[in-house]
Amino acid sequence: MAGEARDACGVVGIYAPGEDVARLTYYGLYALQHRGQESAGIAISDGQTILVYKELGLVAQAFDETVLQSLRGFVSIGHTRYSTTGSSSWDNAQPTFKTSPAGQIAVAHNGNLVNSVQLAGTLAAAGGDPTPAGARLNSSSDTDLVAAHIARANEGDMREAILKVLPKLSGAYSFTMMNEERLFGARDPHGFRPLSIGRLPGGGWVLASETCALDLLGARFIRDVEPGEMVTIDANGLTSESLARPRPAACVFEHVYFARPDSTLMGHNVYATRYRMGQRLAREAPVVAELVMPVPDSGVPAAQGFAQGSTIPYGDGFVKNRYVGRTFIQPTQSMREQGIRMKLNPVREVIEGRRVVVIDDSIVRGNTTRQIVAMLRDAGAREVHMRISSPPIKWPCFYGIDMPDQDELIGSRMEIEEICAHIGADSLAYLSTEGMLEATQVPKEDFCTACFSSRYPIPIPEHDLRDKHVLESPEHQAQAWPTNRS
Ligand code: SF4
């Protein structure tokens, strides 16, 4: 995959009187850096005023010691961003902040709403953004719309305002929010994006997109925020409210690629899930070879599982340059084609003369995979067999993962044999949808699989489908998503 699809964001929330809350938020964001590298921000309150600091770049670039020392308070939220709506600019960095006569609010969002046009319409009809700067939105992000709606609905109790607004949202959201004194967390009724609750050793509370952030903070995992649940954390502890009946449709791609392997999603460690995907792939698509190797880093657990399942020795045929990040100086087209060489270098001594099985988590456009195969042949591989630990991606995501338009997805344009010829491999096989879902050990009805199946849990508006060059109507677009069985 090597970064051809990107997660929208990572969110953190901390409520910990007496602790260095800004630093805790910073470390939480640091653990979630893989979920967004475009900007990072922290909002913090001392009980009187919310201060927001946000900057373009990686977490470590956005904050330094002086900034962290200036951020004082006991409640905070943090955000690391890769945009799915709105352009890449400082205005669109989060947390987003609003004031209203009844108080202040800051919002950090992981996900993507599918009814932002309606939300903008109702806000305009109600008189626009209540922020004193003027009756307009600060940015083009859907998060700003949500914050503006909440600020407008706030008549003195922020919790009630949030409870009024969130049921009007359609799409994917895991929010951390705060006013001057309280921390809030909420997940949409489908629970597309993760959000976990932890407890610090000193009794403070943590909300985080992934449990790896809790680990870094030394926090104990308590539980996930449930789909359709809102939690409020303040001096009285945690209280929970239902926003809507849960209709689970968690993003299965979090398990395949996006989440960190040391995180636990829906009760299951991500590394172990990917390992099982590799074992299953070895059973479904066996191959005669001398070496199993991953496309690092995301292909590593599945490659180890494939090696175990196939009894073919595992080896690291690529060395990854870990210091290549997203750069603000976009490479030229010709450099982009060479881009993968900046990240990966084959180890000739491991590859030469061998039949190699290469494990990756997915193929998006196919260009990266084609370059990988060519590099391995240049390094002397006798045969190159690609095995992919998820099914072909055929449909774009509208729920918070940035994917190319449908006509750029190689899985929607070509059959598997054609893809194999295009990437120049000796063979190509994908894990079945059933194999992928079984490897998660979670009931398969609890997942969104729309990018593989076109079974979108929430119907996508026509204009969004057109924007992503979706030509045919998705097969299951009109079909109602089943309600929670429990
Ligand atoms: S469409 Fe794919 S990437 Fe998007 S939420 Fe569903 S499973 Fe995840």
Side-chain angles (χ1 to χ4, degrees), residues 5 172 192-193 249-254 258 393 395-403 436 447-457:
F192 286 103
R193 303 281 145 232
C251 172
V252 72
F253 228 71
E254 294 272 356
F258 292 114
I393 299 175
W395 298 83
C397 178
F398 297 90
Y399 309 129
I401 301 300
D402 183 62
M403 279 189 190
M436 171 181 70
F447 282 114
C448 171
T449 58
C451 49
F452 308 113
S453 64
S454 86
R455 195 159 181 262
Y456 288 99

